[in-house]
Amino acid sequence: MIGRLNHVAIAVHDIDKAAKVYRETLSAEVSGKVPLPEHGVTTVFVILPNTKIELLEPLGDKSPLTKFLERNADGGIHHICYEVDDIIAARDQLKAKGARVLGDGQPKIGAHGKPVLFLHPKDFCGTLVELEQT
Ligand code: CO
């Protein structure tokens, strides 16, 4: 069902500082900042030859990153994103296998303008999983 690794997301307190680390220290290609108020995050993408790194900074009062950053003072890996061909079919197969889909179970439009869903970390080896339809 899952296909390619689309990205690994890293939550940070200061996205400008994090982008600078990737751009200047690691000499990677780094995108501009994109605020996603619906998701409570600002994103920057680091483009690597085989995948991407999504840098995430909290946006607004109800950001899903707030608790994570309270527990991880230096920031840390927040989720991994796998590509799927059909997000509704994937969701229904996963639910039938007992996996929990977060939120209302309806895909939202993610950072790339494509539908995404998140799966409960307790069902996936302690890792928050994002699915993105490609
Ligand atoms: Co993501």
Side-chain angles (χ1 to χ4, degrees):
M1 178 200 311
I2 60 169
R4 287 156 45 103
L5 174 68
N6 186 278
H7 60 266
V8 174
I10 299 176
V12 299
H13 291 280
D14 182 339
I15 203 164
D16 293 316
K17 204 170 145 191
K20 194 173 168 207
V21 167
Y22 273 86
R23 190 186 304 110
E24 294 184 9
T25 310
L26 294 170
S27 302
E29 184 187 344
V30 176
S31 80
K33 269 196 282 193
V34 180
L36 296 171
E38 194 193 341
H39 294 271
V41 298
T42 299
T43 65
V44 162
F45 277 92
V46 179
I47 295 108
L48 303 178
N50 62 338
T51 191
K52 296 184 279 285
I53 304 298
E54 179 182 52
L55 301 174
L56 295 172
E57 181 187 73
L59 176 64
D61 298 336
K62 288 176 187 164
S63 175
L65 299 179
T66 306
K67 263 192 190 156
F68 181 90
L69 286 170
E70 278 169 18
R71 289 195 304 264
N72 299 275
D74 298 321
I77 294 177
H78 182 261
H79 66 266
I80 53 177
C81 177
Y82 300 120
E83 297 179 359
V84 294
D85 292 331
D86 180 337
I87 201 161
I88 299 296
R91 177 197 66 189
D92 292 346
Q93 283 176 50
L94 286 160
K95 282 170 83 173
K97 292 176 185 175
R100 287 166 283 182
V101 178
L102 299 187
D104 63 6
Q106 295 306 315
K108 283 188 183 170
I109 297 304
H112 307 111
K114 293 178 176 166
V116 301
L117 279 175
F118 286 90
L119 306 175
H120 201 295
K122 286 203 158 90
D123 297 333
F124 295 96
C125 316
T127 305
L128 179 61
V129 172
E130 179 180 21
L131 299 179
E132 181 177 294
Q133 182 171 292
T134 53

